[in-house]
Amino acid sequence: MGMDFSTLRTLISRYCAGEENWVDSRTIYIGHKEPPPGTEAFIQQRFPDNRIVSSKYTFWNFIPKNLFEQFRRVANFYFLIIFLVQLIIDTPTSPITSGLPLFFVITVTAIKQGYEDWLRHKADNAVNRCPVHVVQHGKIVRKQSRKLRVGDVVLVKEDESFPCDLVLLSTSRDDGTCYVTTASLDGESSHKTYYAVQDTKAYNTEKEVDAIHATIECEQPQPDLYKFVGRINVYMGNESVARPLGSENLLLRGATLKNTSYIYAVAIYSGMETKMALNYQSKSQKRSAVEKSMNAYLLVYLCILISKAIINTALKYVWQADPNRDEPWYNHRTETERQRHVLIRAFTDFLAFMVLFNYIIPVSMYVTVEMQKFLGSYFIMWDDEMMDEELGERAVVNTSDLNEELGQVEYVFTDKTGTLTENNMEFIECCVDGHVYVPQVICNGQVLPDAVGMDMIDTSPGPDAREREELFFRALCLCHTVQVKEEETVDGIKHGIHQGKSTSFYISSSPDEVALVEGMKRLGFTYLRLKDGQMEILNREDEIEKFELLEVLTFDSVRRRMSVIVKANTGELYLFCKGADSSIFPRVVSGKVDQIRARVEQNAVEGLRTLCVAYRHLSPEQYEEVCHLLSDAKLALQDRDRRLAEAYDLIEKDLILLGATAVEDRLQEKAADTIESLHKAGMKVWVLTGDKMETAAATCYASKLFRRSTQILELTTKRTEEQSLHDVLFDLSRTVLRQHGDMTRDTFSSFSGDCTDYGLIIDGATLSAVMRPNQDDLNSGNYKEIFLEICRNCSAVLCCRMAPLQKAQIVKLIKASKEHPITLAVGDGANDVSMILEAHVGIGIMGKEGRQAVRNSDYAVPKFKHLKKMLLVHGHYYYIRISELVQYFFYKNVCFIFPQFLYQFFCGFSQQPLYDTAYLTLYNISFTSLPILLYSLIEQHINMDILKKDPTLYRDISKNSLLRWPIFIYWTILGVYDAIVMFFGAYFLFDNTTFTSNGQLMTTNTQMMFGNWTFGTLVFTVLVFTVTFKLALDTHYWTWINHFVIWGSLIFFVVFSLLWGGIIWPFLNYQRMYYVFMQMLSSGPAWLSIILLITASLLPDVLKKVIWRSLWPTTTERIQSADKLYEGQLSEFTPLASLHGPPKARTSDPQRNGSNPRRTNWCCLCANLLSRNTP
């Protein structure tokens, strides 16, 4: 009964305690120890184990789950229905003809998906079996990670990763801190400081830690990496002390311990409840424009199929209306069939015709496309030009489903820091009271000897300013969160930090901070270390100065500043504050504001990152008040962040301005060249950054996003304060539309000289106003449309002061616009992940901000410059190849099945198949599949070097131009024409027949046995050769493997036909093809007929291409023709600009004996001959 009351008391106190009103919480007993009697009830909760599961299938559910997922695909489900119909009713073809291709497609796809899932299982097992050290009964016990339980006390050593989410109890450092990198979580490779619980930080051995008697109450797991609210109750005898727990006490799974020998911590979230697991975003399935076109074409062909079946069913009953034609004498229907209702008979016939014509739907196209995408993705990974020697990294393909989308990009959204720039900060200068200081030597984190001098750009400061100058240098040496590596091994020799001014190794969460501290070192003030709460710096006189670090007011992106409160040896208390100019200037009450502001603006225009530094003297009374404010805020369990922000706001005021700093983040190699190429290719490039406007704009000029002739339009907070947002938007709209009228910039090159080039700059605050307009303003509903109209008419857009979510909103806004353009997002940090996931194609840069962007992207490249080849070359090739693949598949299936449709008019609509079962089954699987698969993997219609040299060729394939309806209709009409030629050509060949003495029907003109299987085999032979030659004519890039596969597949067809009809197969009940193929080939006229029919089928397409290339060539076709003339050396010797106009006449060279043997196309050569003789 006592236990019941205790439980009730616990529940009441937990849920009804005012500020501590937690609706959903958990209690963890450290070391699984019960709390002392009378304190609270021991309610052991059940938590999941520490296994991580990223796999999709298990051994038991793989087959049913995979089959279910595959048959959700329309084409697969359709063929399953056809297969079942063939099994249920009497159909003209064997169920094998549909079942075997379907089985092949399903099996290949299942093997691919099973292999990928097996790799995921393998990775999961490697993680789950990783050893961890757990404290049990005062001893260290080794366990597998998956056996870890919530409440276990874990020992983690330096450079080890945390096995689950842990609350830090104690560390090897006396101050109870440890340093951690969270690169695998949030992409930040910098070191962060975490703090042990105040009451347990002194416990440093296994036995001491095992003696801790405490419970932790905290929120249930949630995915926010930066939020954690809890409290720890430490029991001392029968009394307990409660301490608040925050995100600074929580070590997350996947993070790594750095610069700390060991830590002890208790597990609070395990397995799939860890924040890392909760942040596994199940990426929404992205579908390419090509796949959408495929599905649309599939629906058209399904309608054609149904139409054919309905027409044939209707004509069958019209034919049979005449009693004399009811049915042949040898095929009397049974009485049961005669008595069946006419609608049932008609429906059965309709299904039979559906089965007969179902091959017009190319089921094998899907598996061919899957294989093409999977195998084709390796060309990106194998590309040596996309490998970075410095990083030792190659390009990575995380999904192969979007390869062709790389050739369709219209908008590129890129981050700035670490993507366009190197994220490698270099200290340039500092300005103190208007005097500018530039270090003699500075080199990206490398401390060089004899680099202590200063160069005064302006007039030297007077004696009175000397004190403020040194105060500024001290402020930068003290106001940071930089840690010092105690010693660093260089060439096997350990160099200590106290060896005069030798090398020191600084670590920080911000590259800017490291650059500033190293810059101060060049200027004579060296930060040494933080020890026992004392910050030590070495001044110009080589004297060590000590300051007691009292408080750190940490940096956050809302305040955009940080502060420290320190106490000098003299007893003076200082508040040093540094931050963005926009957050410091409003809080300054004195100092040379105008001079410093002018220097800051000048540096920002030059593209430098600027920070302002200020200070404030604190009296002991003021410090007491500060301590009280911070203490109250830190102990709050509810709204802790808000109360801390309010406290910081009250403390950081009445500041005295000291000066400003300038740090440079250099552009990546060839970033400007890449952006220029993307512009020429017709893509619009937007830069989305959290940086300030002036700095970002300078970077945009340096990277050639904006040119000097670009007219900059501003849509910023500064402007909307002067005018209403409504007026600003309409002013900008009138400005851009005055030049262009209703024509957007999509219709012409952004490099044309007869129009003004516009660039737009917008900031995060104004974007929020555009996206979320005031409901009271009736005119505000169309702000988004006006904003989009302005953007469409700008060649480049810069969005500054952007939050990560706003980046995704921008991408989503453009995606949803009426043109539905294809978007690509590229970034390197965790703050770019939402943008990368939102875009059609997401690309991660392997920069210094960890691997989160890379892991969440579809593709990853080492540097921004590799984007050029990925889009202009690989994307171009992928799109060309898969477009031909899709159109060719539909074409060859029309050629295949239309003769079957025509045949029904000559066999009384009796559903008699034209082709043998083996031919029906193997046509798409064997006879015609490999040539198109190989074409779609290695075809290069233009030399790779030319594609890189002339980005405008990318425009020829933009907006899904090769899969538009006119081209699709042309391919379909071509297929119908070829089918008519094949069928009626063979039909007229058999037109004159006579009986032989032994009763056989022979054709007079060919002396060949006449029968429906001979007729079908002749048509099928012409068909296989025609569609294969058609692909050969379309091939520009010939290699030995092309010859092997194309001619090899034809030889395979002939050999198979000879064997299939030349041997009596014991497993066949009847062999209707016996000796048919050999008897057909024994006739000379049949050979001539085959050649003539193939020529007649291919001739119109060849003539059309020759004429079109001669009279209306595209840029691509001009370059192909020129490449033949220059024997494949066009990329090295010819100015490509000359090829964009009409081709010039060339004098025929009698010495030429053909073009580059690797790059030959017959249509191209014919067109070339015509154009060479054009005046």
Side-chain angles (χ1 to χ4, degrees):
M1 195 68 180
M3 177 60 77
D4 291 339
F5 276 109
S6 177
T7 305
L8 185 62
R9 186 170 66 249
T10 302
L11 294 173
I12 291 171
S13 65
R14 183 176 298 167
Y15 295 114
C16 306
E19 183 179 75
E20 301 161 15
N21 182 16
W22 292 351
V23 177
D24 203 4
S25 64
R26 60 169 56 187
T27 303
I28 293 118
Y29 303 95
I30 296 179
H32 309 288
K33 295 176 186 172
E34 295 185 24
T39 52
E40 64 173 292
F42 177 66
I43 308 169
Q44 184 67 58
Q45 299 177 27
R46 297 188 64 183
F47 303 113
D49 60 22
N50 199 39
R51 276 181 297 185
I52 288 289
V53 180
S54 64
S55 54
K56 194 174 181 181
Y57 306 105
T58 65
F59 179 79
W60 307 107
N61 74 8
F62 173 73
I63 291 176
K65 192 172 180 179
N66 186 265
L67 286 177
F68 172 73
E69 288 178 350
Q70 290 207 57
F71 284 119
R72 285 169 66 185
R73 195 174 240 173
V74 177
N76 290 348
F77 184 70
Y78 162 78
F79 270 88
L80 177 66
I81 296 297
I82 291 292
F83 176 63
L84 294 176
V85 167
Q86 285 180 293
L87 289 176
I88 294 167
I89 69 170
D90 182 21
T91 55
T93 57
S94 165
I96 294 174
T97 59
S98 289
L100 194 62
L102 181 65
F103 176 76
F104 175 72
V105 168
I106 296 294
T107 305
V108 169
T109 308
I111 289 170
K112 173 180 173 280
Q113 293 177 349
Y115 173 70
E116 289 173 348
D117 204 61
W118 176 73
L119 292 178
R120 286 193 284 269
H121 272 285
K122 199 174 172 185
D124 288 345
N125 287 336
V127 171
N128 293 331
R129 292 176 182 173
C130 187
V132 294
H133 299 94
V134 180
V135 177
Q136 285 184 354
H137 310 299
K139 294 181 180 177
I140 298 294
V141 178
R142 193 179 167 108
K143 276 187 179 182
Q144 286 187 348
S145 176
R146 61 194 173 95
K147 295 181 180 177
L148 202 61
R149 291 190 300 154
V150 170
D152 283 346
V153 178
V154 180
L155 168 68
V156 181
K157 297 178 181 176
E158 185 172 8
D159 294 325
E160 289 182 353
S161 293
F162 303 124
C164 60
D165 290 353
L166 308 163
V167 165
L168 183 58
L169 297 175
S170 65
T171 80
S172 60
R173 304 173 75 94
D174 296 336
D175 56 0
T177 61
C178 71
Y179 303 116
V180 170
T181 58
T182 55
S184 62
L185 289 167
D186 58 11
E188 295 179 14
S189 55
S190 48
H191 289 50
K192 297 178 180 174
T193 307
Y194 289 82
Y195 301 90
V197 176
Q198 198 66 25
D199 299 270
T200 61
K201 70 177 185 181
Y203 298 91
N204 287 323
T205 66
E206 294 88 45
K207 289 187 178 179
E208 288 174 351
V209 171
D210 194 48
I212 294 174
H213 204 177
T215 60
I216 291 175
E217 286 180 279
C218 63
E219 61 190 357
Q220 290 290 8
Q222 48 100 356
D224 191 338
L225 295 176
Y226 307 106
K227 188 184 175 196
F228 174 69
V229 177
R231 68 177 172 202
I232 182 169
N233 300 303
V234 183
Y235 300 106
M236 311 285 188
N238 285 332
E239 293 186 4
S240 67
V241 178
R243 300 283 184 198
L245 296 174
S247 56
E248 70 276 6
N249 309 113
L250 183 68
L251 306 171
L252 301 178
R253 176 176 191 141
T256 306
L257 185 65
K258 291 288 182 185
N259 213 19
T260 309
S261 301
Y262 62 84
I263 59 118
Y264 290 100
V266 60
I268 59 162
Y269 302 132
S270 58
M272 299 307 289
E273 288 188 341
T274 59
K275 288 183 182 286
M276 182 178 80
L278 293 174
N279 273 276
Y280 285 153
Q281 293 207 28
S282 54
K283 290 194 281 188
S284 59
Q285 186 68 34
K286 294 181 179 180
R287 292 172 62 212
S288 70
V290 169
E291 190 176 344
K292 292 172 187 172
S293 296
M294 277 169 54
N295 292 338
Y297 297 165
L298 200 70
L299 287 175
V300 170
Y301 272 59
L302 191 59
C303 293
I304 292 173
L305 168 64
I306 294 170
S307 303
K308 281 183 177 180
I310 291 172
I311 290 168
N312 274 263
T313 306
L315 289 175
K316 177 177 181 178
Y317 283 86
V318 170
W319 170 267
Q320 292 182 353
D322 184 344
N324 296 326
R325 296 174 178 170
D326 186 12
E327 59 187 8
W329 60 268
Y330 53 82
N331 190 27
H332 284 296
R333 287 182 297 188
T334 63
E335 204 57 37
T336 311
E337 287 175 322
R338 289 177 181 277
Q339 291 173 0
R340 193 182 297 165
H341 194 279
V342 67
L343 289 177
I344 296 175
R345 280 185 285 145
F347 181 68
T348 306
D349 284 329
F350 170 75
L351 291 178
F353 280 118
M354 285 283 287
V355 169
L356 188 63
F357 301 141
N358 83 85
Y359 301 96
I360 197 171
I361 307 292
V363 66
S364 59
M365 179 177 70
Y366 282 94
V367 75
T368 308
V369 167
E370 290 268 345
M371 291 171 68
Q372 188 268 349
K373 289 182 174 183
F374 177 69
L375 297 172
S377 63
Y378 282 95
F379 290 117
I380 288 179
M381 295 188 275
W382 291 336
D383 193 336
D384 289 335
E385 289 183 24
M386 294 175 67
M387 179 181 178
D388 187 71
E389 299 291 342
E390 183 186 343
L391 293 174
E393 298 273 10
R394 288 182 176 275
V396 174
V397 178
N398 292 326
T399 174
S400 58
D401 293 338
L402 302 170
N403 291 346
E404 65 278 6
E405 208 80 328
L406 294 170
Q408 294 296 295
V409 175
E410 294 170 66
Y411 281 81
V412 175
F413 299 93
T414 174
D415 179 38
K416 184 181 80 72
T417 306
T419 304
L420 290 179
T421 63
E422 293 180 345
N423 200 13
N424 198 1
M425 307 303 171
E426 180 178 337
F427 182 79
I428 300 299
E429 68 171 48
C430 59
C431 170
V432 186
D433 283 349
H435 300 285
V436 180
Y437 300 79
V438 180
Q440 286 181 340
V441 185
I442 178 86
C443 186
N444 287 337
Q446 297 299 315
V447 183
L448 304 180
D450 303 323
V452 182
M454 293 184 283
D455 176 17
M456 306 296 186
I457 302 295
D458 293 349
T459 57
S460 296
D464 296 339
R466 177 85 176 188
E467 183 182 344
R468 289 172 65 76
E469 169 201 306
E470 293 192 351
L471 188 62
F472 174 85
F473 293 156
R474 288 189 182 95
L476 284 175
C477 283
L478 298 171
C479 187
H480 56 72
T481 55
V482 171
Q483 297 112 41
V484 183
K485 192 78 171 173
E486 296 297 338
E487 50 186 26
E488 189 183 6
T489 304
V490 181
D491 297 330
I493 304 167
K494 287 187 177 179
H495 295 274
I497 191 71
H498 297 297
Q499 297 177 357
K501 293 181 183 173
S502 66
T503 0
S504 56
F505 186 47
Y506 294 121
I507 307 164
S508 173
S509 59
S510 165
D512 296 74
E513 287 197 325
V514 173
L516 292 174
V517 172
E518 289 177 339
M520 289 307 99
K521 186 167 188 175
R522 312 302 191 283
L523 294 169
F525 280 77
T526 305
Y527 172 61
L528 296 177
R529 62 179 172 174
L530 170 65
K531 184 177 182 183
D532 300 328
Q534 298 281 330
M535 296 183 84
E536 299 178 3
I537 61 177
L538 192 70
N539 64 22
R540 287 185 187 138
E541 286 73 36
D542 288 348
E543 296 169 351
I544 292 178
E545 299 178 9
K546 292 189 178 182
F547 293 82
E548 185 182 353
L549 180 61
L550 301 174
E551 296 286 349
V552 177
L553 281 59
T554 53
F555 175 86
D556 65 69
S557 56
V558 179
R559 282 166 51 241
R560 302 186 59 245
R561 61 184 178 271
M562 72 157 293
S563 302
V564 293
I565 299 174
V566 295
K567 185 176 182 181
N569 288 337
T570 59
E572 289 183 289
L573 292 162
Y574 291 98
L575 169 80
F576 289 121
C577 181
K578 77 171 183 211
D581 56 330
S582 57
S583 69
I584 297 290
F585 283 138
R587 299 182 168 272
V588 168
V589 293
S590 66
K592 296 189 177 181
V593 179
D594 293 337
Q595 294 96 317
I596 294 170
R597 190 197 299 273
R599 191 69 191 177
V600 165
E601 289 175 357
Q602 182 183 335
N603 286 333
V605 168
E606 291 174 6
L608 303 179
R609 297 163 66 90
T610 56
L611 284 176
C612 294
V613 182
Y615 81 104
R616 173 189 172 194
H617 278 291
L618 293 177
S619 65
E621 295 76 20
Q622 288 173 321
Y623 175 62
E624 287 297 325
E625 187 184 344
V626 165
C627 284
H628 181 69
L629 276 170
L630 291 175
S631 176
D632 285 350
K634 286 178 179 175
L635 286 170
L637 288 175
Q638 296 293 313
D639 296 326
R640 188 184 294 176
D641 292 340
R642 180 180 60 79
R643 293 176 67 167
L644 273 173
E646 290 171 356
Y648 292 163
D649 199 52
L650 289 170
I651 295 163
E652 296 168 327
K653 63 181 183 180
D654 303 330
L655 303 175
I656 301 167
L657 188 61
L658 282 171
T661 63
V663 172
E664 183 180 22
D665 186 9
R666 298 195 175 187
L667 270 185
Q668 282 195 19
E669 180 192 3
K670 295 185 180 176
D673 174 61
T674 302
I675 286 182
E676 194 171 10
S677 296
L678 298 183
H679 268 307
K680 288 179 179 177
M683 293 176 235
K684 293 190 177 179
V685 183
W686 291 32
V687 173
L688 312 181
T689 178
D691 226 331
K692 63 187 299 182
M693 189 181 93
E694 294 81 6
T695 305
T699 304
C700 289
Y701 277 111
S703 62
K704 296 185 181 177
L705 184 75
F706 296 155
R707 291 175 298 283
R708 293 301 164 192
S709 60
T710 302
Q711 183 178 334
I712 302 298
L713 309 175
E714 287 188 19
L715 185 56
T716 56
T717 310
K718 182 180 177 183
R719 187 164 177 190
T720 52
E721 285 171 356
E722 299 166 359
Q723 286 179 277
S724 69
L725 177 62
H726 180 274
D727 292 342
V728 173
L729 280 169
F730 275 91
D731 281 352
L732 295 177
S733 180
R734 278 195 297 270
T735 302
V736 296
L737 293 178
R738 191 183 303 124
Q739 171 84 23
H740 304 141
D742 294 328
M743 180 175 63
T744 64
R745 297 192 65 86
D746 291 333
T747 56
F748 52 83
S749 168
S750 61
F751 280 78
S752 57
D754 58 346
C755 68
T756 307
D757 206 21
Y758 290 108
L760 177 70
I761 298 178
I762 183 171
D763 60 18
T766 314
L767 178 70
S768 297
V770 171
M771 301 289 285
R772 196 171 50 254
N774 185 358
Q775 297 299 318
D776 300 331
D777 188 353
L778 297 176
N779 296 320
S780 65
N782 59 350
Y783 281 176
K784 285 185 187 177
E785 286 74 14
I786 298 169
F787 172 67
L788 280 171
E789 191 62 36
I790 295 166
C791 292
R792 283 189 203 105
N793 289 284
C794 292
S795 59
V797 179
L798 165 62
C799 303
C800 50
R801 300 295 197 207
M802 287 281 132
L805 194 58
Q806 285 182 310
K807 293 183 178 184
Q809 285 175 338
I810 282 275
V811 176
K812 190 173 183 179
L813 182 69
I814 297 298
K815 271 175 68 179
S817 63
K818 61 184 178 184
E819 296 90 0
H820 299 292
I822 304 299
T823 58
L824 178 144
V826 53
D828 72 317
N831 59 334
D832 303 314
V833 168
S834 55
M835 169 176 78
I836 284 170
L837 292 176
E838 184 61 49
H840 291 96
V841 183
I843 295 188
I845 301 286
M846 301 170 186
K848 299 186 177 181
E849 295 288 331
R851 287 291 184 268
Q852 181 128 336
V854 170
R855 285 203 318 275
N856 285 279
S857 63
D858 303 306
Y859 303 88
V861 290
K863 292 284 174 62
F864 184 77
K865 66 178 180 180
H866 297 131
L867 198 62
K868 178 178 177 179
K869 187 170 186 186
M870 178 171 267
L871 297 182
L872 302 186
V873 178
H874 290 292
H876 198 120
Y877 283 157
Y878 283 138
Y879 179 72
I880 290 285
R881 292 162 181 170
I882 203 162
S883 299
E884 177 88 8
L885 185 151
V886 171
Q887 300 281 28
Y888 179 78
F889 252 99
F890 283 110
Y891 157 77
K892 72 186 180 74
N893 278 38
V894 169
C895 292
F896 179 43
I897 220 65
F898 199 73
Q900 178 75 71
F901 172 73
L902 295 173
Y903 186 55
Q904 296 307 303
F905 289 85
F906 296 87
C907 67
F909 306 100
S910 61
Q911 299 149 12
Q912 167 66 35
L914 177 62
Y915 311 118
D916 181 61
T917 301
Y919 289 160
L920 284 170
T921 307
L922 296 178
Y923 176 73
N924 276 318
I925 293 179
S926 299
F927 300 148
T928 61
S929 59
L930 272 182
I932 184 59
L933 176 61
L934 187 76
Y935 175 97
S936 65
L937 286 173
I938 67 171
E939 169 64 1
Q940 294 181 21
H941 65 303
I942 294 180
N943 189 288
M944 194 178 294
D945 295 330
I946 299 174
L947 288 177
K948 283 191 289 186
K949 189 174 179 181
D950 189 0
T952 56
L953 292 171
Y954 193 87
R955 293 167 182 260
D956 279 3
I957 61 164
S958 63
K959 299 186 183 297
N960 204 16
S961 62
L962 299 184
L963 286 174
R964 288 180 181 162
W965 287 105
I967 296 176
F968 168 71
I969 291 167
Y970 169 76
W971 278 85
T972 303
I973 291 171
L974 187 65
V976 170
Y977 165 79
D978 289 352
I980 290 171
V981 168
M982 294 170 202
F983 181 82
F984 286 107
Y987 175 77
F988 289 123
L989 182 68
F990 283 108
D991 192 30
N992 191 4
T993 58
T994 182
F995 283 98
T996 59
S997 57
N998 59 2
Q1000 288 182 320
L1001 197 62
M1002 296 287 289
T1003 57
T1004 308
N1005 50 353
T1006 64
Q1007 294 302 304
M1008 188 167 60
M1009 266 182 62
F1010 179 77
N1012 67 310
W1013 299 119
T1014 308
F1015 177 65
T1017 302
L1018 180 63
V1019 172
F1020 191 80
T1021 304
V1022 175
L1023 165 70
V1024 171
F1025 275 82
T1026 298
V1027 297
T1028 306
F1029 286 157
K1030 161 68 176 158
L1031 188 67
L1033 289 172
D1034 285 351
T1035 302
H1036 294 85
Y1037 188 76
W1038 283 93
T1039 65
W1040 67 267
I1041 197 167
N1042 288 79
H1043 289 286
F1044 177 78
V1045 168
I1046 286 178
W1047 314 128
S1049 65
L1050 293 176
I1051 292 168
F1052 172 75
F1053 162 70
V1054 173
V1055 171
F1056 173 83
S1057 298
L1058 290 171
L1059 292 175
W1060 183 244
I1063 299 173
I1064 298 176
W1065 298 99
F1067 56 82
L1068 294 177
N1069 295 329
Y1070 55 91
Q1071 196 159 344
R1072 53 199 178 197
M1073 289 295 290
Y1074 181 66
Y1075 213 67
V1076 168
F1077 191 73
M1078 283 164 287
Q1079 193 270 341
M1080 183 188 79
L1081 291 185
S1082 64
S1083 166
W1087 281 83
L1088 182 62
S1089 301
I1090 290 171
I1091 294 169
L1092 288 174
L1093 290 176
I1094 292 171
T1095 306
S1097 298
L1098 294 174
L1099 191 61
D1101 184 48
V1102 172
L1103 286 175
K1104 178 253 177 190
K1105 285 185 177 177
V1106 169
I1107 293 166
W1108 249 252
R1109 281 177 181 271
S1110 304
L1111 303 179
W1112 307 286
T1114 63
T1115 307
T1116 300
E1117 288 165 350
R1118 287 192 191 105
I1119 287 177
Q1120 286 173 341
S1121 300
D1123 201 18
K1124 302 298 171 292
L1125 293 177
Y1126 287 94
E1127 297 185 336
Q1129 300 302 315
L1130 176 65
S1131 59
E1132 295 177 29
F1133 300 115
T1134 314
L1136 296 180
S1138 64
L1139 300 172
H1140 288 263
K1144 297 178 181 178
R1146 280 183 57 87
T1147 306
S1148 176
D1149 182 359
Q1151 298 302 316
R1152 281 180 53 86
N1153 56 2
S1155 62
N1156 185 343
R1158 293 197 317 140
R1159 304 181 48 76
T1160 306
N1161 182 277
W1162 195 82
C1163 298
C1164 193
L1165 289 175
C1166 290
N1168 185 29
L1169 288 169
L1170 285 176
S1171 64
R1172 286 169 65 183
N1173 295 314
T1174 303

